[in-house]
Amino acid sequence: MNSLLRFALPTTSIVLLVAAAFVVLPEAEAAMDAPDPLTATAPELYTGGLYVEPDTAAEQAVARFEEQGRSSQADLLRKISSQPTAIWLGDWYETDLLVRVITRNLDAAAAEGTTPVFVNYAIPNRDCGGYSRGGFEAADYLEWTRTIADTMRGSRAVVLLEPDSLAMLSADKCATEVDTRPALLRDAVEILTDAGLTVYLDGGNNYWIAEHVMADRLTAAGVSMARGFFTNVSNFYPVNAEREYGDALSALLGGKNYVTDVSRNGTGWQGTWCNPTGAGLGEAPHATDGSTKLDALLWVKHPGLSDGTCNGGPEAGEWWDEGALELARNA
């Protein structure tokens, strides 16, 4: 018997203690109601459809164009602002702001009954010195991941874990990460999945890494604990090619599920990954009916945000009117 209960208690107190033992807190109730990310169908995981974040850069551009009397261009950009896009989390947020951003969007999604999709993007030596360089040190990265997991715990959030983190390991500039990054990602997957979140790892795309190589990397990074992997993030390959690649990779991983970024693949590959001329918006993002291993077609990369200072674009991640308008015209 617990030493704290060895003394005599009034009968009413005993009744209250027994009743309290069966009280279910709202967070615990939500966790019990949430589907198992490893076994649920896509409609069960993406219940209510995808969450549309308010006040995005695209929405701000629409308002600015309207104020300037550029109504036709504002209408074009509504093709972007009206669609659900993933919410990117990175080392640009201080901890307090990170928690507020997550909480605000989780609360809004819960009120609507929709499913929010987040992107964690702060892996050590992110982009291996490229346009999107940055990230945390390893110990800080895992602490950052714990903060995200604790804040999202009990929600129905989807997390895409570190675009390019595994596919880029083939690059010479990422040689220092080959031995350490998969294990670090595995730790991050464990933290996030322990919080009940639906997690996908970087699966590259059909034109980048051979399926058997990517399967080995995903296995080392803990894909067995995750829902699966994502493909084509920030890239331009058509759905059919990505589906063929995703299905082949899934088969090597025992039937893992996947999602594909279709934000800018409407006209297919245009010869470069960095602000290509001629690219267009892809089909509207949505979850599938769950009859295949493809869970959803998402807009992960925000159309209108620059890939970097190439082909006339501003710094990586900055809004670019010209690029956004071209994507919308070519949709």
Side-chain angles (χ1 to χ4, degrees), residues 12 27 33 42 73 99 109 127 150 170-171 177 188 207 244 263 268 282:
T12 53
E27 295 84 354
D33 290 342
Q73 292 176 314
V99 171
D127 204 25
D150 290 342
S170 296
E177 311 305 319
Y207 193 71
E244 182 177 350
S263 58

Side-chain angles (χ1 to χ4, degrees), residues 38 62 91-92 94 102 106 112 146 154 176 185 206 222 230 253 270 273 279 302:
L38 294 184
V62 168
D91 47 331
W92 49 88
E94 296 291 338
I102 295 171
L106 288 179
E112 297 174 355
R146 290 187 189 94
T176 57
L185 286 168
N206 80 94
F230 54 82
L253 296 169
Q270 298 297 311
W273 64 268
H302 288 207

Side-chain angles (χ1 to χ4, degrees), residues 4-144:
L4 294 180
L5 298 180
R6 285 179 181 167
F7 53 86
L9 288 173
T11 301
T12 53
S13 297
I14 294 173
V15 170
L16 289 173
L17 282 170
V18 172
F22 291 94
V23 172
V24 179
L25 297 175
E27 295 84 354
E29 186 174 10
M32 287 192 295
D33 290 342
D36 182 351
L38 294 184
T39 60
T41 65
E44 289 170 337
L45 289 175
Y46 292 85
T47 182
L50 298 168
Y51 167 66
V52 180
E53 183 185 14
D55 199 31
T56 59
E59 190 171 304
Q60 293 170 15
V62 168
R64 174 164 47 82
F65 281 4
E66 288 287 11
E67 290 174 1
Q68 296 170 351
R70 300 164 65 183
S71 296
S72 62
Q73 292 176 314
D75 288 341
L76 274 175
L77 290 190
R78 286 192 179 90
K79 293 181 180 181
I80 298 175
S81 65
S82 63
Q83 297 296 337
T85 50
I87 302 159
W88 290 64
L89 307 174
D91 47 331
W92 49 88
Y93 289 133
E94 296 291 338
T95 300
D96 289 348
L97 182 55
L98 174 71
V99 171
R100 289 200 300 272
V101 168
I102 295 171
T103 302
R104 180 183 71 234
N105 286 292
L106 288 179
D107 289 347
E112 297 174 355
T114 54
T115 300
V117 178
F118 295 88
V119 181
N120 284 16
Y121 196 52
I123 195 78
N125 196 20
R126 182 180 61 219
D127 204 25
C128 297
Y131 286 125
S132 298
R133 67 179 63 87
F136 291 109
E137 296 298 320
D140 294 333
Y141 177 71
L142 291 180
E143 188 59 34
W144 177 79

Side-chain angles (χ1 to χ4, degrees), residues 178-201:
V178 170
D179 293 333
T180 57
R181 183 171 286 177
L184 184 62
L185 286 168
R186 187 180 188 89
D187 289 342
V189 170
E190 185 171 9
I191 291 167
L192 295 165
T193 55
D194 281 351
L197 304 173
T198 300
V199 179
Y200 299 89
L201 281 155

